Amino acid sequence: MNKLFLFCLLLLSCKLFSQNPSFTIDATCFNALTLEGGQTEVQFADINNDGHLDLLLIGDHGSPYINTNQHGISVFFGDGTGTNWTLAQTGDFGYGGIAVGDVNNDGFLDVGYGMHHNYAATDFGDQLLEVALGDGTGINWTPYDDSLATAGETWGMFGTEFGDFNNDGLLDVVSGSFGCCAGTHVYLNQGTGTWQHSYGYINGNTEHYVECGDLNHDGNLDFVACHQNGAPYFGNGTGNFTNQHANLPSLSIGLGFYDVALDDIDNDGDADFGFIHNNSTPRVYKWDGTNQQWVNQSAGLTVTGLASCIKLADLNNDGFSDAIVATTGKIEIFQGNGGGLWISVVTIPMIGLSFCQDINIADVDHNGYDDILFVAQYPNGIFGTINKFTLLRNNTVATTLNIHHKFPSGGECFPNNAIRNIQWLSSVPAGNQSSVQIAFSETGNTGPWTTIANAAPNNGNFQWAVPAGITSSNCYIRLIVTDSTTLLTNTSYNSNAFQVGVCDPTLALSETASSVSFYAFPNPFMSSLNIKSVTPISSVLIVDPTGREIYSQINIPEPKQLLQINTDTFAKGVYFVKATSVSGAVLTHKVTKY
């Protein structure tokens, strides 16, 4: 295994004090799959419900059996260490994109996939877009795909994603082709193995991927696509969509954005939009609901070389999304501040990397920090190329049990009956097994609590059916992780309330880091915690997960003041640091004492 340890960078000129990640580079752990070249999409999911993340794909241009051993649905089963993966393949088709979710609500994860090589002679693999039911093994699949790929998809499909677009408690599917001219299409799940086409278009050129999220904070899922007709499509909750490309860069080169990524960069409860423009430039934009247009949030997001992939994720657990960008010969990580400012903090050389095919982010080894998997193109001989997997595994060693909310974090709004995913990170000492109890409150973070799951696998994701008959803007999810070996527990709550059954924009966390921004460092901390204000703040409050006040300082006299807090009396665990701006806006960071 090739190892490169990258040490944290302290950027004095920018006064950034958050802990930056370091990684072990592993380019060997997925070598069991012989790759040929061409695009592919990868997804992490716990396909066999053992609490450990697995890797799923349907392969690149070599699938099925074209100069490679690739075929069908490929699953690399993980054991929670991030170093040992066992490959199983099922089916005679491939080359495309993949989505993972429970489409028939039986508790087992299923897959959807758009492909170019629908070469199978059976129902399993003979359509350009399919869904197949899983049974919890990751090796047995039952076709569930009647009426898919019936709206003009005569050319290979590719990027595929699940989402409940009509809020009926069933996952629907969206998929786009690449090249010309099959377009992008949405099919609604009828719950019987049949699907109804609700939106789409043919013709036009497109690149690879689609992603889903609530872009405009109306509670309905939207999607972004790499198509020349425009990138963002706002959903109305019925399965119909309207393109909203207003003020985004033009697509004059005849193709869509090369890559797309969604994440809530400013913690206001809606998804923000990252993309690669003109196959070279990374950008992040936010939807401005007041002026009905996109606003550039890309200051500092500058690279050298050809940028080909982008993902948004909080790699250092400071509460703000970071940007992971693949460019010619390297991976570059930009730390975000929540207000549209990005600072390059880590550069990881990847000698020979010419073009990235896909990036996926997940914690594969239970250390409480996300890892980075990317698939990229490298030279192979004088004229050829080949894809290679590389896993960048965060070096932090898990010594204590901890759990940390990812979604919802606060400010989101969810329709009744809709399917949404509860997501978290958890650190578990090596070798120990764990599970998570998940509960919901509509009356604040002190309960009463309704149990969603008693002992869910600690894999970072739970598919949740939002309750019916509830109208509340004070909703919380409580997560309690239990170490099955030591019987210790740790509890986490979303930082701020979210809404269910109502989507009142006046209740959203609309204030961003442009009105209140600060850093809490180091994170995790031990005997002291520093608060660095980037914008004027009037007070700082630290509370524990129950809301009990641990520390407060009010009437802070000077903007941009550095507060140094002695934390010797703080017990080990999770805390929430809340800073209030002079205008009354509040921003919260989650921190941990080890």
Side-chain angles (χ1 to χ4, degrees), residues 171-511:
L171 288 180
D172 311 306
V173 65
V174 57
S175 184
S177 74
F178 76 85
C180 179
C181 302
T184 301
H185 300 272
V186 174
Y187 289 85
L188 300 181
N189 184 354
Q190 304 300 292
T192 60
T194 61
W195 303 77
Q196 178 184 346
H197 187 263
S198 67
Y199 179 81
Y201 46 82
I202 57 173
N203 299 320
N205 294 302
T206 185
E207 289 290 355
H208 304 89
Y209 303 112
V210 295
E211 287 204 18
C212 302
D214 181 5
L215 299 169
N216 60 346
H217 207 275
D218 67 351
N220 300 314
L221 283 185
D222 314 306
F223 71 87
V224 291
C226 299
H227 197 280
Q228 74 175 100
N229 287 1
Y233 294 83
F234 287 6
N236 67 357
T238 69
N240 198 21
F241 296 83
T242 302
N243 178 244
Q244 291 283 7
H245 201 80
N247 204 44
L248 287 173
S250 69
L251 301 172
S252 58
I253 64 171
L255 288 171
F257 298 148
Y258 182 78
D259 195 14
V260 292
L262 295 180
D263 202 31
D264 184 359
I265 68 167
D266 53 1
N267 301 314
D268 66 350
D270 56 35
D272 305 306
F273 182 26
F275 54 88
I276 302 295
H277 181 231
N278 284 350
N279 287 11
S280 61
T281 307
R283 288 288 181 262
V284 177
Y285 275 68
K286 177 175 180 58
W287 178 251
D288 178 355
T290 301
N291 297 303
Q292 293 291 292
Q293 65 178 13
W294 292 93
V295 178
N296 194 344
Q297 301 281 286
S298 309
L301 201 58
T302 303
V303 299
T304 58
L306 180 68
S308 46
C309 285
I310 184 172
K311 281 291 180 288
L312 301 174
D314 182 5
L315 292 182
N316 57 358
N317 292 348
D318 69 346
F320 292 136
S321 298
D322 309 307
I324 303 94
V325 181
T327 65
T328 307
K330 63 182 180 296
I331 299 291
E332 195 163 0
I333 297 173
F334 294 82
Q335 184 177 31
N337 77 336
L341 175 64
W342 308 89
I343 302 297
S344 178
V345 292
V346 175
T347 298
I348 305 171
M350 293 291 160
I351 298 173
L353 187 159
S354 59
F355 213 72
C356 173
Q357 308 293 12
D358 195 18
I359 295 179
N360 207 289
I361 309 293
D363 179 12
V364 301
D365 53 2
H366 297 298
N367 74 340
Y369 288 87
D370 277 326
D371 308 298
I372 305 169
L373 174 73
F374 74 100
V375 187
Q377 178 179 286
Y378 292 81
N380 185 33
I382 299 177
F383 302 108
T385 60
I386 190 172
N387 288 332
K388 294 182 181 179
F389 289 102
T390 303
L391 179 63
L392 308 180
R393 203 169 64 254
N394 184 290
N395 286 329
T396 304
V397 177
T399 58
T400 60
L401 184 71
N402 188 265
I403 194 163
H404 169 73
H405 261 74
K406 291 177 68 175
F407 185 87
S409 62
E412 301 87 355
C413 52
F414 302 141
N416 298 124
N417 302 307
I419 296 294
R420 297 294 186 265
N421 287 336
I422 298 168
Q423 298 174 324
W424 65 91
L425 288 170
S426 178
S427 63
V428 182
N432 293 4
Q433 298 297 311
S434 58
S435 62
V436 176
Q437 183 193 74
I438 307 172
F440 167 74
S441 168
E442 61 179 294
T443 56
N445 63 1
T446 59
W449 298 96
T450 299
T451 299
I452 297 172
N454 264 319
N458 187 18
N459 55 28
N461 186 83
F462 184 87
Q463 185 172 303
W464 179 43
V466 179
I470 290 176
T471 301
S472 173
S473 59
N474 195 25
C475 297
Y476 281 80
I477 296 292
R478 183 185 67 188
L479 304 173
I480 302 176
V481 61
T482 298
D483 186 321
S484 303
T485 303
T486 65
L487 300 183
L488 294 174
T489 64
N490 188 260
T491 303
S492 177
Y493 306 80
N494 40 289
S495 300
N496 295 286
F498 61 91
Q499 304 174 50
V500 166
V502 60
C503 201
D504 184 350
T506 66
L507 300 176
L509 303 176
S510 58
E511 298 288 354

Side-chain angles (χ1 to χ4, degrees), residues 460-589:
N461 186 83
F462 184 87
Q463 185 172 303
W464 179 43
V466 179
I470 290 176
T471 301
S472 173
S473 59
N474 195 25
C475 297
Y476 281 80
I477 296 292
R478 183 185 67 188
L479 304 173
I480 302 176
V481 61
T482 298
D483 186 321
S484 303
T485 303
T486 65
L487 300 183
L488 294 174
T489 64
N490 188 260
T491 303
S492 177
Y493 306 80
N494 40 289
S495 300
N496 295 286
F498 61 91
Q499 304 174 50
V500 166
V502 60
C503 201
D504 184 350
T506 66
L507 300 176
L509 303 176
S510 58
E511 298 288 354
T512 69
S514 61
S515 56
V516 53
S517 180
F518 71 96
Y519 297 95
F521 63 95
N523 188 18
F525 65 93
M526 293 184 69
S527 60
S528 65
L529 180 67
N530 301 310
I531 308 298
K532 174 66 178 179
S533 172
V534 180
T535 54
I537 59 176
S538 61
S539 66
V540 170
L541 175 68
I542 301 178
V543 300
D544 67 14
T546 69
R548 182 171 63 94
E549 181 180 310
I550 305 298
Y551 170 91
S552 68
Q553 182 164 341
I554 60 175
N555 299 322
I556 297 174
E558 298 179 14
K560 303 184 180 180
Q561 183 176 351
L562 177 65
L563 305 179
Q564 297 177 311
I565 303 170
N566 186 302
T567 58
D568 284 335
T569 60
F570 289 29
K572 293 182 179 180
V574 172
Y575 296 90
F576 298 101
V577 182
K578 297 185 178 183
T580 302
S581 73
V582 294
S583 64
V586 178
L587 189 65
T588 302
H589 287 329

Side-chain angles (χ1 to χ4, degrees), residues 39-275:
Q39 292 74 23
T40 190
E41 183 176 29
V42 293
Q43 293 285 349
F44 282 113
D46 181 10
I47 201 68
N48 58 353
N49 286 333
D50 67 350
H52 308 311
L53 289 181
D54 313 305
L55 179 70
L56 290 87
L57 67 157
I58 64 167
D60 62 16
H61 192 266
S63 182
Y65 299 117
I66 302 174
N67 303 318
T68 75
N69 64 353
Q70 297 180 57
H71 61 99
I73 299 170
S74 299
V75 180
F76 283 93
F77 293 100
D79 66 355
T81 66
T83 59
N84 299 316
W85 305 85
T86 303
L87 175 63
Q89 299 181 80
T90 311
D92 296 326
F93 55 87
Y95 185 25
I98 191 166
V100 184
D102 183 2
V103 300
N104 62 342
N105 296 331
D106 67 348
F108 298 128
L109 290 178
D110 314 307
V111 292
Y113 40 94
M115 61 180 140
H116 275 229
H117 295 166
N118 56 323
Y119 295 165
T122 67
D123 190 22
F124 183 50
D126 64 346
Q127 297 175 186
L128 295 177
L129 175 61
E130 294 190 339
V131 171
L133 301 180
D135 64 355
T137 66
I139 57 176
N140 299 317
W141 306 100
T142 302
Y144 197 77
D145 56 13
D146 290 350
S147 302
L148 289 175
T150 56
E153 300 94 322
T154 56
W155 173 252
M157 303 304 288
F158 197 82
T160 305
E161 190 67 85
F162 287 135
D164 184 1
F165 297 120
N166 59 351
N167 302 317
D168 67 347
L170 295 170
L171 288 180
D172 311 306
V173 65
V174 57
S175 184
S177 74
F178 76 85
C180 179
C181 302
T184 301
H185 300 272
V186 174
Y187 289 85
L188 300 181
N189 184 354
Q190 304 300 292
T192 60
T194 61
W195 303 77
Q196 178 184 346
H197 187 263
S198 67
Y199 179 81
Y201 46 82
I202 57 173
N203 299 320
N205 294 302
T206 185
E207 289 290 355
H208 304 89
Y209 303 112
V210 295
E211 287 204 18
C212 302
D214 181 5
L215 299 169
N216 60 346
H217 207 275
D218 67 351
N220 300 314
L221 283 185
D222 314 306
F223 71 87
V224 291
C226 299
H227 197 280
Q228 74 175 100
N229 287 1
Y233 294 83
F234 287 6
N236 67 357
T238 69
N240 198 21
F241 296 83
T242 302
N243 178 244
Q244 291 283 7
H245 201 80
N247 204 44
L248 287 173
S250 69
L251 301 172
S252 58
I253 64 171
L255 288 171
F257 298 148
Y258 182 78
D259 195 14
V260 292
L262 295 180
D263 202 31
D264 184 359
I265 68 167
D266 53 1
N267 301 314
D268 66 350
D270 56 35
D272 305 306
F273 182 26
F275 54 88

